[in-house]
Amino acid sequence: MAKTSDSDIITRTLYIDADERANRFNLMLLLLLFVCEAVCLALNELGIFTVERVFLRYCMLAGAYFSLAPIIIWLAHDAVLRRRPSVCRKVWFKQVIILFTFLTVALFCSTISGHTVPLLAVPALVVAQYRFQRRQNLVVLALTVVLVLLSVYAAYFFGSFNRDLHKGIADAEGASFAARIALATPKRMTELFTHHALPRLLAFIAVVVLCIGASRRNDQMLRRQVELAQSVQQEMQKRNAMQRSVIEDLAAVIESRDVSTGKHVARTKRYVQLIALEMQKDPRYSEVLTDETVDRIVRAAPLHDIGKIAVSDRILQKPGRLTPEEFEQMKLHAAKGGEMVHNILGNLDDEPFLETAADIATCHHERWDGGGYPAGLAGEAIPLPARMMSVADVFDALVSERCYKKAMPPEQAFRIIEEERGKQFDPAIVDLLPTLKPAFLAVLSGEEEL
């Protein structure tokens, strides 16, 4: 199966969004048609319209069903069943709305035609809300012709023309359906077409053509929006690629000066990702740890020790324990790290990423109980990405061999971190370790390719 490109996803999303907005607008139009049906029924009951009352009641009842059916489907799907995505985002729902709009208008115009002629423009206007599609617009044109003819001839046979099309025919002659059938000579039918159907056909064909033009322009504007969105996406991809390249180069420089084994940055990045993805499942953090935020944290993780660039090689590569004075110098790398993130990467023009990277670089040596450095932050005052990085960094340091120490067995490292729950580390993160242990071990053993 071919992989869907980001460009295809953007195009499909914009088209679906446009159709969703059109669907919601046209649903409100159907609701308005329902109100018009109720008004027409009331006017007919008052004698202002001249349609046979029982006949119109049945027609308006059917019209109410046609106008309300899509609205009921929408409310049932979205509000009652609470299914997502909205039915307005479904491709087939557009066709349902168009079909029921035609049926509603057809009933209007075939029963009280003389009063509702302008409604024949409604189906074309409904379709104009959507993207231009040649076949769909040809169908609209054909159905509009059918509606015009239906409005004239059905009204003639079913009796709403005593004041309009039946001028010149005695009321008694046109009082019944049977009488109208008897009077429906080819000459009379031709006169109905020539004097009543044809002028309306020409007018509404013009309306349909204008609607097709509007639909085509809407489609062109939407295509332009798609092109702009794709261009923005391409620029973002280029920026992200440059960002990753700069981060990887900086991480390589940091690691080359440190006493790590060479895989520390890659492993801690993966540990942080595992922690973030697991925390994302927790309702307490699901809104904070969006997919975008997790991606930003993972991309920033390799910069956690960027401040070590400012620490001398003598201290970084010392084979034994650091003296108190040397350790104070080492501790400066945390505060320096935040500064260097902004100084070196400030031209990336990605403030959320810079803030995340600075938080990790500055605060990953803070302790949950407030005994860390450089600022002595405690608890949730420590940024969440830094709390994740703290666990990942310490775990990898414990299980890795250095020139001044041997590697610790993973089980012992897990126990030490668990003992520091609520002291050095965030309890919520430590509580995830039993679940994450197999994945951590796979990364450490090299079973998972970094």
Side-chain angles (χ1 to χ4, degrees), residues 264-283:
H264 172 73
V265 169
R267 286 196 300 267
T268 52
K269 175 182 176 181
R270 178 57 176 155
Y271 295 146
V272 166
Q273 184 179 36
L274 291 169
I275 292 170
L277 292 174
E278 193 64 29
M279 292 189 79
Q280 195 180 41
K281 301 174 185 177
D282 190 326

Side-chain angles (χ1 to χ4, degrees), residues 370-432:
Y373 62 89
L377 301 178
E380 294 188 355
I382 305 169
L384 182 57
R387 290 168 5 223
M388 297 179 191
M389 191 72 239
S390 177
V391 173
D393 191 37
V394 170
F395 175 77
D396 196 70
L398 292 174
V399 298
S400 299
E401 184 176 354
R402 298 287 188 265
C403 59
Y404 55 84
K405 77 173 189 68
K406 293 182 179 180
M408 182 182 293
E411 291 298 331
Q412 185 179 353
F414 282 123
R415 283 197 302 273
I416 289 174
I417 292 176
E418 288 167 3
E419 289 170 0
E420 289 296 314
R421 179 185 184 278
K423 300 174 186 176
Q424 183 173 354
F425 306 114
D426 182 345
I429 298 175
V430 175
D431 290 344
L432 298 176

Side-chain angles (χ1 to χ4, degrees), residues 37 51 131 201 224 263 273 327 367 395 400 430:
E37 288 163 348
V51 183
R131 289 183 290 128
L201 274 175
R224 178 58 179 161
K263 290 284 187 178
Q273 184 179 36
F327 186 62
R367 291 174 56 97
F395 175 77
S400 299
V430 175

Side-chain angles (χ1 to χ4, degrees), residues 180-424:
R180 291 188 182 89
I181 291 291
L183 292 169
T185 63
K187 180 181 178 181
R188 191 174 298 280
M189 294 299 98
T190 302
E191 288 176 351
L192 285 177
F193 178 80
T194 302
H195 298 295
H196 299 281
L198 184 58
R200 294 176 183 177
L201 274 175
L202 295 176
F204 287 108
I205 287 174
V207 170
V208 171
V209 171
L210 288 173
C211 290
I212 290 174
S215 178
R216 187 188 291 273
R217 286 194 297 276
N218 288 341
D219 191 53
Q220 290 171 345
M221 293 175 64
L222 184 58
R223 289 179 184 276
R224 178 58 179 161
Q225 184 180 1
V226 168
E227 291 172 359
L228 290 173
Q230 290 174 343
S231 176
V232 170
Q233 178 69 14
Q234 291 171 358
E235 289 299 318
M236 289 180 62
Q237 289 174 343
K238 290 179 182 177
R239 187 191 68 180
N240 289 339
M242 180 182 71
Q243 188 182 85
R244 284 193 295 270
S245 176
V246 171
I247 291 170
E248 289 170 3
D249 290 344
L250 278 173
V253 171
I254 297 163
E255 206 162 43
S256 68
R257 298 186 63 243
D258 205 348
V259 291
S260 60
T261 60
K263 290 284 187 178
H264 172 73
V265 169
R267 286 196 300 267
T268 52
K269 175 182 176 181
R270 178 57 176 155
Y271 295 146
V272 166
Q273 184 179 36
L274 291 169
I275 292 170
L277 292 174
E278 193 64 29
M279 292 189 79
Q280 195 180 41
K281 301 174 185 177
D282 190 326
R284 294 175 297 174
Y285 301 100
S286 57
E287 293 186 5
V288 176
L289 292 173
T290 62
D291 291 340
E292 182 181 359
T293 301
V294 170
D295 176 69
R296 191 161 58 239
I297 292 170
V298 173
R299 286 189 288 118
L303 297 174
H304 66 281
D305 277 337
I306 187 175
K308 287 185 177 179
I309 293 176
V311 179
S312 70
D313 289 343
R314 179 181 61 80
I315 295 175
L316 277 179
Q317 299 172 7
K318 184 176 180 179
R321 285 187 174 276
L322 299 179
T323 65
E325 293 77 13
E326 290 170 336
F327 186 62
E328 288 300 318
Q329 289 295 313
M330 175 66 81
K331 286 164 61 176
L332 294 177
H333 84 274
K336 286 285 186 181
E339 297 174 9
M340 296 180 74
V341 165
H342 287 286
N343 292 338
I344 297 175
L345 302 177
N347 62 344
L348 293 180
D349 193 26
D350 186 351
E351 193 60 32
F353 171 79
L354 293 175
E355 289 300 323
T356 300
D359 285 343
I360 290 175
T362 303
C363 302
H364 70 287
H365 285 294
E366 299 286 4
R367 291 174 56 97
W368 185 258
D369 60 12
Y373 62 89
L377 301 178
E380 294 188 355
I382 305 169
L384 182 57
R387 290 168 5 223
M388 297 179 191
M389 191 72 239
S390 177
V391 173
D393 191 37
V394 170
F395 175 77
D396 196 70
L398 292 174
V399 298
S400 299
E401 184 176 354
R402 298 287 188 265
C403 59
Y404 55 84
K405 77 173 189 68
K406 293 182 179 180
M408 182 182 293
E411 291 298 331
Q412 185 179 353
F414 282 123
R415 283 197 302 273
I416 289 174
I417 292 176
E418 288 167 3
E419 289 170 0
E420 289 296 314
R421 179 185 184 278
K423 300 174 186 176
Q424 183 173 354

Side-chain angles (χ1 to χ4, degrees), residues 39-276:
V39 171
C40 288
L41 185 59
L43 292 175
N44 195 65
E45 295 291 329
L46 293 172
I48 297 174
F49 294 171
T50 59
V51 183
E52 200 280 319
R53 289 182 177 180
V54 174
F55 172 69
L56 186 63
R57 287 169 188 167
Y58 281 119
C59 288
M60 291 298 98
L61 182 63
Y65 167 77
F66 291 141
S67 57
L68 291 180
I71 298 173
I72 293 171
I73 293 172
W74 171 46
L75 294 175
H77 184 281
D78 291 12
V80 179
L81 300 177
R82 297 184 182 278
R83 292 181 179 173
R84 292 292 181 268
S86 171
V87 72
C88 289
R89 297 183 69 83
K90 305 290 186 180
V91 175
W92 57 266
F93 193 57
K94 170 175 64 176
Q95 309 303 333
V96 169
I97 291 176
I98 293 172
L99 172 63
F100 279 86
T101 301
F102 269 111
L103 293 174
T104 302
V105 172
L107 274 171
F108 253 125
C109 295
S110 62
T111 54
I112 48 177
S113 175
H115 306 284
T116 58
V117 169
L119 285 177
L120 292 171
V122 169
L125 291 168
V126 166
V127 175
Q129 301 297 316
Y130 299 104
R131 289 183 290 128
F132 176 76
Q133 294 174 312
R134 188 179 302 277
R135 182 179 300 176
Q136 188 179 66
N137 281 277
L138 289 175
V139 170
V140 172
L141 183 59
L143 287 177
T144 299
V145 171
V146 171
L147 280 182
V148 171
L149 296 174
L150 182 67
S151 71
V152 171
Y153 288 102
Y156 173 86
F157 286 113
F158 291 104
S160 64
F161 285 73
N162 287 336
R163 298 178 184 176
D164 187 5
L165 299 185
H166 274 64
K167 289 176 181 177
I169 300 176
D171 287 348
E173 292 179 316
S176 69
F177 179 71
R180 291 188 182 89
I181 291 291
L183 292 169
T185 63
K187 180 181 178 181
R188 191 174 298 280
M189 294 299 98
T190 302
E191 288 176 351
L192 285 177
F193 178 80
T194 302
H195 298 295
H196 299 281
L198 184 58
R200 294 176 183 177
L201 274 175
L202 295 176
F204 287 108
I205 287 174
V207 170
V208 171
V209 171
L210 288 173
C211 290
I212 290 174
S215 178
R216 187 188 291 273
R217 286 194 297 276
N218 288 341
D219 191 53
Q220 290 171 345
M221 293 175 64
L222 184 58
R223 289 179 184 276
R224 178 58 179 161
Q225 184 180 1
V226 168
E227 291 172 359
L228 290 173
Q230 290 174 343
S231 176
V232 170
Q233 178 69 14
Q234 291 171 358
E235 289 299 318
M236 289 180 62
Q237 289 174 343
K238 290 179 182 177
R239 187 191 68 180
N240 289 339
M242 180 182 71
Q243 188 182 85
R244 284 193 295 270
S245 176
V246 171
I247 291 170
E248 289 170 3
D249 290 344
L250 278 173
V253 171
I254 297 163
E255 206 162 43
S256 68
R257 298 186 63 243
D258 205 348
V259 291
S260 60
T261 60
K263 290 284 187 178
H264 172 73
V265 169
R267 286 196 300 267
T268 52
K269 175 182 176 181
R270 178 57 176 155
Y271 295 146
V272 166
Q273 184 179 36
L274 291 169
I275 292 170

